[in-house]
Amino acid sequence: MAAFEDVLFSIAEQRRYPHDAARLGARVHALSEAYNTVGTGSAKDHGAARLLFWLPRDIPKTTMAVRELVAAGLLRIPQGRPLRVLDQGAGLGASTWGLLRALEAAGEEGVVSVALVDDDQEALELARDVVRKASFDAVSLRVEPPRARERYDVILLGQVLSELHRDLPPDARLSKHETFLRGLLQTSLAADGSLVIVEPALRERSRHLHALRDRLAPHVFAPCLHENPCPMLLRENDWCHEDHPIDLPAALVPIAKAAGLRWQGLTYAYLILRNDGRTLRQYVHADAVRMVSEIRRTKGKSEALLCGPRSQGRDAVMRLDREASPANAGWDKLHRGDLVAFTPPDAKRLGKDANVAKLCVEPAEESP
């Protein structure tokens, strides 16, 4: 990633963008406020902040969001042709670069053909500048114009829904976004393609994504392991999001500090939709559940929240400290987002004989 950051700083120098921590930190802070209150920030006003901070910060979100698609064998570069990608609301192309990182990490080789679409022409200019000057070793990126009636293998929506129809009441906005996503599924996504949505891990925006997930449940591949109504919507203060121990690159830490933002951990919410009915639960153990909280440790016990088919939604499991054993030692290594199976599978309390297994996603035999 260091070489990629060097590319970004060279572009900033050519454009005479400020890149010292103090001045850039002030611009990053201003853009953060614009995103959180208004929901948008144009490249014209915030080019330096978007290029030098938000672009490298957002890239890993898509990399992590598609990890289970890659592990299931459902996201790869086809033999004999490029992987066709539509990056809708692309901005500077963070979602595309995140996708490329995931493909290369999985050992894929070949060409990714991407259509970068955004109303912000200056942002697209910056995105194309980055593509011209940066590259990966095994995966090459080719930017092409969007084509009418094209069916894409992957459609990326990186923090797009947050910026759409902000002036509408919640229910009207939800219906508008449902129609938008159904349109992409029906007219732009290949039969075996994936629509990848990444949103900020803020409560309001994550819950909006949960509500969309309920309306589009038959299309959901991940993160959910069931089609029941999202249990996080039952209580106003609940929401589900990812939180990975991935810190900002060292060069960005002083900028984050100057902006008053966190530099430790990577948070986001995501939803992956497909047309072919494939779901994540087809690629994991039948008793799999997902950790949707970190383990909370209190006097004499530890507990965590789970989500999965065993409880038709959110569930809780606990272990008393006095019942810790070699059999259930895997409990201590679990984190939010992990897939896990317990023996017995319906255990609410982990006794000394209970087994805890962290699970991996495995390609099914019929996987393409």
Side-chain angles (χ1 to χ4, degrees), residues 214-248:
D214 277 4
R215 294 194 177 197
L216 297 163
H219 293 281
V220 173
F221 173 81
C224 310
L225 294 167
H226 63 89
E227 292 186 7
N228 303 299
C230 178
M232 290 296 177
L233 293 175
L234 294 176
R235 299 189 302 183
E236 190 65 29
N237 290 328
D238 287 345
W239 76 100
C240 183
H241 65 86
E242 302 297 300
D243 191 348
H244 302 290
I246 300 173
D247 297 341
L248 284 175

Side-chain angles (χ1 to χ4, degrees), residues 159-178:
Q159 303 181 112
V160 171
L161 298 180
S162 293
E163 299 188 11
L164 294 178
H165 312 111
R166 298 288 297 174
D167 56 332
L168 292 179
D171 287 345
R173 187 165 178 260
L174 187 63
S175 295
K176 200 85 168 174
H177 290 180
E178 179 190 0

Side-chain angles (χ1 to χ4, degrees), residues 80-98:
R81 69 168 177 85
L83 181 74
R84 298 184 296 262
V85 178
L86 171 64
D87 194 339
Q88 184 79 36
L92 274 61
S95 296
T96 292
W97 286 105

Side-chain angles (χ1 to χ4, degrees), residues 137-155:
D137 294 331
V139 180
S140 60
L141 183 61
R142 190 167 73 204
V143 177
E144 297 188 354
R147 295 184 177 89
R149 295 182 295 278
E150 178 74 86
R151 290 279 183 169
Y152 294 94
D153 302 304
V154 183
I155 298 177

Side-chain angles (χ1 to χ4, degrees), residues 4-5 7-13 15 17 24 28 31 43 46-57 59 92 126-127 129-130 252:
F4 187 78
E5 291 163 17
V7 167
L8 302 186
F9 277 99
S10 71
I11 294 172
E13 287 181 352
R15 290 175 173 260
Y17 285 159
L24 186 54
V28 169
L31 184 53
H46 302 289
R50 292 182 70 174
L51 178 69
L52 297 177
F53 185 82
W54 297 102
L55 173 60
R57 191 212 65 164
I59 285 173
L92 274 61
L126 273 172
D129 212 2
V130 174
L252 300 185

